[in-house]
Amino acid sequence: RDSSESERLKVFTSDIVILSVTFDKYKDIIGELKKNLRPDSLLVDVCSVKVMPTKFLKKHLPDHKNLLLTHPLFGPQSAKKDTKGLRLIVTKSNGDSAKQLLEFCRTKLKLNIINMSAADHDKAMAYTHSLTFFVSQALHPFKLEGHGITTPSFKELLDLSNIAKNESKELLLSIHNDNPYAKAVREKFS
């Protein structure tokens, strides 16, 4: 084994393994997970969509006992100063390790934990995520700029137009393509 392969195996044999990838990357790493994930390791998913990852993990790791499927509704910029009150959606939680991590998030990080099904999550995110990014991507080609007489509503439009610019292309595609409810919301909007 070369050192990079050895480092990758260390990740998969850790106490906690966090899948912080878009759904299209699941297929690339699930084989390694199946072969190398310790039975007692906590597998945490932070994907922005939940229905498809839930089905995929159930199919490929059906007997894994320590799972925590989440969607943090914040990123590094939001959590830079404080995490108190930030929201963490949980769509699946089982195992003692998952309970311990959630308790840490609730008590130490002061996160607001919201439990819901994967389907309810994706239905809500079809509006809040997919529609927001859809509108942002539509505005982005106009290269809107602020000037000396900007109204508060125009400032909001500028902020909205910049959202898609600041996110990875993979994340945008995943939000649009891997959420089974997103297409219907976009079609309703257009």
Side-chain angles (χ1 to χ4, degrees):
R1 298 180 189 178
D2 65 21
S3 62
S4 62
E5 182 180 352
S6 176
E7 289 300 312
R8 285 176 45 193
L9 289 177
K10 282 183 193 174
V11 169
F12 290 121
T13 58
S14 297
D15 292 338
I16 300 174
V17 176
I18 300 174
L19 290 172
S20 181
V21 297
T22 54
F23 180 68
D24 64 311
K25 301 293 186 231
Y26 268 60
K27 296 169 188 84
D28 297 338
I29 62 172
I30 201 68
E32 289 184 61
L33 275 174
K34 284 175 75 167
K35 290 186 291 187
N36 299 301
L37 188 65
R38 289 188 355 228
D40 62 332
S41 290
L42 173 60
L43 180 59
V44 180
D45 163 275
V46 295
C47 194
S48 295
V49 294
K50 287 286 155 267
V51 169
M52 291 172 66
T54 301
K55 288 179 183 177
F56 199 75
L57 289 172
K58 187 175 183 179
K59 178 180 177 184
H60 294 283
L61 294 169
D63 299 324
H64 196 73
K65 302 296 182 214
N66 289 302
L67 287 173
L68 184 57
L69 279 62
T70 71
H71 181 196
L73 297 183
F74 57 90
Q77 294 294 71
S78 306
K80 191 185 304 185
K81 292 183 181 174
D82 191 12
T83 57
K84 184 179 181 180
L86 296 177
R87 294 172 292 160
L88 176 69
I89 295 178
V90 176
T91 60
K92 183 172 184 63
S93 171
N94 62 307
D96 290 337
S97 298
K99 287 178 189 172
Q100 290 173 355
L101 183 56
L102 282 175
E103 186 59 23
F104 173 82
C105 289
R106 186 179 294 108
T107 59
K108 300 293 184 193
L109 298 179
K110 306 288 187 205
L111 294 178
N112 180 9
I113 309 294
I114 302 166
N115 292 292
M116 63 175 48
S117 72
D120 287 344
H121 169 275
D122 283 3
K123 286 175 187 174
M125 288 296 116
Y127 283 93
T128 59
H129 240 172
S130 185
L131 187 57
T132 300
F133 286 127
F134 180 69
V135 172
S136 178
Q137 287 175 293
L139 290 171
H140 187 66
F142 292 103
K143 298 186 184 339
L144 300 175
E145 293 180 20
H147 46 77
I149 36 179
T150 301
T151 63
S153 56
F154 187 76
K155 170 76 170 85
E156 289 179 14
L157 197 61
L158 283 172
D159 292 345
L160 180 61
S161 72
N162 286 319
I163 292 173
K165 177 181 83 172
N166 296 325
E167 296 296 343
S168 73
K169 187 177 184 177
E170 294 80 11
L171 176 63
L172 296 173
L173 288 172
S174 183
I175 286 169
H176 289 310
N177 299 330
D178 299 330
N179 182 331
Y181 306 99
K183 183 179 179 185
V185 169
R186 288 193 312 271
E187 287 174 351
K188 184 178 175 182
F189 178 73
S190 17

